[in-house]
Amino acid sequence: MKSDAVIELRNVSKAYERHTVLRNINLQVRAGEFLTLLGPSGCGKTTILRLLAGFEQADSGEILIAGRDMRALPPEQRHINTVFQSYALFPHLTVFENVAFGPRLQGVRGADLQERVLEALRMVKLEDYSARRPGQLSGGQQQRVAIARAVVNRPLVLLLDEPLSALDYKLRKAMQIELKQLQRRLGITFIFVTHDQEEALSMSDRVAVMNAGRIEQLGTPRQIYETPENLFVARFVGEINTLFGRVVAVDPPYYDICVHERIVRLKSKFIFASGDRVNILIRPEDLRIWREHEGSDEERATLFPAAVEDVVYKGSTVDLIIRLDNGDRLSTTQFFNEDDQAIVNLDFQPGERVFVDWVHDWEVILPHED
Amino acid sequence: MKTREPFKWVAVGTIWTWLALFALLPNAMVLVASVLERGQDQFFAFAFTLASYRRLLDPLYLSVLLDSLYLAALTTVLCLLIGYPFAYLLAQAPARRRALLLLLVIIPFWTSSLVRTYAMVILLKTNGLINQMLLGLGWISEPLELLYTTPAVIAGMCYALLPFMILPLYAALEKLDRRLIEAAHDLGAGRVTIFRRVIIPLTLPGIIAGAMLTFLPALGMFYVADLLGGAKTMLVGNLIRDQFLAARDWPFGSAASAMLTGLMALLMWAYYQSSRRANRGALP
């Protein structure tokens, strides 16, 4: 056990009636880190938050907070606060009274209370709104009150249950940055739940990707994105293309893999045997598109012939949907590159013949899963 | 839009006619009658006087009024104490059991409350069901005096009015957002604090509505006091009824009635003011 773990889940399982929502979860959260639980709805990420907050009891396993077993402790006695998805602000209380709710219960009174509440409101830039009621605030402002109401208690850990999902795109982006800054400033451990992989990658120190009650992978955003450990993680976090292949020659860590009748030599940390079926995973931005007149014949022998099926202009990039001659569909992202004359205008036409390959070593090879 | 005009006129017109004929006119007549003199051969003589209102200030009638207010208030408090936990459980219950419990609340409405009050007489009288049961069990050696007591009147009024308390409370508690209770727990509040600082304030409109629906009818339910209280308990409702049917003093009965209406209007105005104040913060 690491000494800096502020929260530890050991073999935690939970089922509602006969439906299992968490299977043997083991997780350590370090003090002061921003950890995100990322997964599709129903994967169990919110259940972990509810177990930590104390709203639910685990069926088995241990939950340690600062080294203490939390199972018998009701929510009000845990040194943890939650920012709810719906904000759950008290509609009958003013912003000030909402934020003062926790400190009052801790016995803070008078000038101390005033100071502490206003400090929390200043932190979220709402000190001028203390006399309003939640119903008079916008969604983003309510969100901020919810954050202030939680952090004013100076919790050991702050739990955030999809707190940005109700906000529009621009506001969400801005709040992501604010939340991250706030977390750095306060030094409080944040456990953040989201189904938005972009949000998870941009805010977190570490991400736990969850699926069907399990943690599929725990790692830094970069590890999660660049070296997914299984197909679920690879496909859930960002867009990815899958090519099927078969190992034909083994020379660890190098493997000759037959992909669409071409042999490619690739490196992998997995151990494969000759004849194994594998998936080669390539991010859209790692695919290279060659136009018909580009490259020598020699180079072309290693490329995959394909046709452009669709062109999606996205402003800073152009996304191409490509169909390989054997039928596989790939999606690629091409960046406008002003240094590269050949590609300066990405005026691809649907139906155009192209060739495809990828930057070797940027792919991920995973064992085939059925 | 034009084609709907006739329908609108008929609909609104019917309601207005109805209200004018059966609410406005009788009340106006009561108000007029209350300032007339009592007649010799007829019910009243057409001469203006405030004598009836002056008579209401007689300590005898004032004590009737105070007794009525006291009983109505007690009934309201008891209904609230019984109704709140019931409505809370009702709002928490799973959908199917909730439907059943709601049905149980509503079933008494299928019978006239007069008939139900007679049923209570059968339960409470000296050789009634309750006394016979207690005697049979050997818990008491002689029948208790249950009927024709003030507690019997209070019990009868609570029984008759409890649904009017439960239904608005249920409506308020059902709307109560469970997540707010979780949030309060999360912020460190125990059950008592949550009840006091979150649940009660958020269901206050329901509490007030229930109290009004219980308190106002309780002031006028003369037949409960008649049947269960005997002649001992005189309420404003009984007084009014007696003036019209027994004493034949219509101006005085009208004055008492007008005073009761005025009192109720005052209470409703107070409620309106307080709810306006409570909502002011929520308005943009």
Side-chain angles (χ1 to χ4, degrees), chain B residues 168-169 172 175 200-212 271 275 278-279:
Chain B
L169 283 178
K175 273 191 297 183
I200 293 213
L202 286 175
T203 53
L204 199 59
I207 295 173
I208 292 173
M212 304 258 302
Y271 167 63
S275 70
N279 284 333

Side-chain angles (χ1 to χ4, degrees), chain B residues 195-273:
Chain B
F195 187 67
R196 211 166 42 83
R197 296 202 39 206
V198 179
I199 299 179
I200 293 213
L202 286 175
T203 53
L204 199 59
I207 295 173
I208 292 173
M212 304 258 302
L213 286 176
T214 316
F215 185 77
L216 301 182
L219 283 175
M221 286 186 89
F222 60 85
Y223 56 88
V224 176
D226 262 3
L227 295 175
L228 301 176
K232 282 189 257 174
T233 317
M234 182 74 147
L235 299 181
V236 182
N238 303 62
L239 177 72
I240 296 169
R241 194 263 329 256
D242 287 349
Q243 294 313 313
F244 280 96
L245 301 181
R248 302 266 164 184
D249 189 344
W250 282 30
F252 183 54
S254 297
S257 180
M259 180 207 59
L260 195 58
T261 308
L263 191 69
M264 290 179 180
L266 197 70
L267 284 170
M268 292 181 79
W269 178 79
Y271 167 63
Y272 173 71
Q273 287 298 320

Side-chain angles (χ1 to χ4, degrees), chain A residues 50 53 55 75-76 80-82 84 86 88-92 101-102 104-105 133 136 149 153, chain B residues 179-180 182-191 193 197-198 201-202 278 280-284:
Chain A
R50 294 181 63 80
F55 300 134
E76 58 266 29
I80 284 184
N81 287 110
T82 307
F84 294 87
S86 57
L89 298 175
F90 302 120
H92 60 297
F101 197 91
R104 262 189 217 283
L105 290 167
R133 297 205 186 213
Q136 297 169 296
R149 188 179 68 171
N153 302 291
Chain B
R179 292 172 295 192
L180 294 177
E182 282 193 350
H185 265 301
D186 190 78
L187 292 167
R191 283 161 188 273
T193 312
R197 296 202 39 206
V198 179
L202 286 175
R280 199 167 45 198
L283 295 171

Side-chain angles (χ1 to χ4, degrees), chain B residues 84-279:
Chain B
Y84 204 95
F86 186 89
Y88 192 81
L89 291 175
L90 191 61
Q92 303 280 309
R96 275 186 62 184
R97 193 168 336 137
R98 190 187 299 182
L100 181 73
L101 288 170
L102 265 178
L103 189 71
L104 289 178
V105 174
I106 292 162
I107 278 180
F109 286 121
W110 296 356
T111 319
S112 144
S113 70
L114 187 61
V115 173
R116 282 184 283 130
T117 308
Y118 271 112
M120 283 201 68
V121 172
I122 294 168
L123 285 174
L124 294 174
K125 64 185 178 183
T126 313
N127 58 349
L129 272 175
I130 292 176
N131 269 321
Q132 282 183 4
M133 202 174 71
L134 290 174
L135 282 169
L137 286 166
W139 289 7
I140 53 172
S141 52
E142 54 188 83
L144 297 173
E145 191 196 342
L146 297 173
L147 199 57
Y148 309 132
T149 59
T150 306
V153 175
I154 293 169
M157 293 212 289
C158 281
Y159 170 60
L161 295 170
L162 189 58
F164 295 100
M165 178 62 89
I166 288 176
L167 292 175
L169 283 178
Y170 166 69
L173 281 159
E174 205 236 344
K175 273 191 297 183
L176 185 69
D177 191 343
R178 297 280 312 153
R179 292 172 295 192
L180 294 177
I181 295 172
E182 282 193 350
H185 265 301
D186 190 78
L187 292 167
R191 283 161 188 273
V192 177
T193 312
I194 290 175
F195 187 67
R196 211 166 42 83
R197 296 202 39 206
V198 179
I199 299 179
I200 293 213
L202 286 175
T203 53
L204 199 59
I207 295 173
I208 292 173
M212 304 258 302
L213 286 176
T214 316
F215 185 77
L216 301 182
L219 283 175
M221 286 186 89
F222 60 85
Y223 56 88
V224 176
D226 262 3
L227 295 175
L228 301 176
K232 282 189 257 174
T233 317
M234 182 74 147
L235 299 181
V236 182
N238 303 62
L239 177 72
I240 296 169
R241 194 263 329 256
D242 287 349
Q243 294 313 313
F244 280 96
L245 301 181
R248 302 266 164 184
D249 189 344
W250 282 30
F252 183 54
S254 297
S257 180
M259 180 207 59
L260 195 58
T261 308
L263 191 69
M264 290 179 180
L266 197 70
L267 284 170
M268 292 181 79
W269 178 79
Y271 167 63
Y272 173 71
Q273 287 298 320
S274 74
S275 70
R276 245 180 44 154
R277 201 170 23 237
N279 284 333

Side-chain angles (χ1 to χ4, degrees), chain A residues 25 39 47 65 86 99 109 117 124 127 145 169 171 187 205 217 233 248 253 265 283 288 291 299 326 330:
Chain A
I25 295 285
T47 305
I65 296 172
S86 57
V99 178
R109 293 282 183 280
V117 170
V124 294
E127 64 268 39
V145 176
Y169 182 79
L171 193 53
D205 296 321
Q217 186 172 355
V233 175
V248 291
R265 193 174 181 78
R283 296 281 175 201
R288 285 187 299 202
R291 303 190 103 151
E299 279 175 318
N326 77 337
L330 303 177

Side-chain angles (χ1 to χ4, degrees), chain A residues 10 17 24 39 41 57 73 75 82 87 106 122 126 182-183 217 221 226 230 237 243 245 267 282 298 330 342 369:
Chain A
R10 290 186 193 154
E17 278 157 35
N24 233 3
S41 55
Q57 295 299 311
L73 224 54
T82 307
Y87 315 144
Q106 290 167 20
R122 245 191 315 276
L126 280 178
L182 189 68
Q183 191 260 344
Q217 186 172 355
E226 292 181 3
N230 55 45
V237 182
L243 290 173
K267 201 172 151 184
I282 306 149
E298 219 172 288
L330 303 177
E369 297 169 24

Side-chain angles (χ1 to χ4, degrees), chain A residues 352-364:
Chain A
E352 186 179 338
R353 296 289 305 167
V354 289
F355 293 94
V356 186
D357 75 342
W358 68 89
V359 187
H360 280 207
D361 247 23
W362 288 17
E363 80 288 321
V364 171

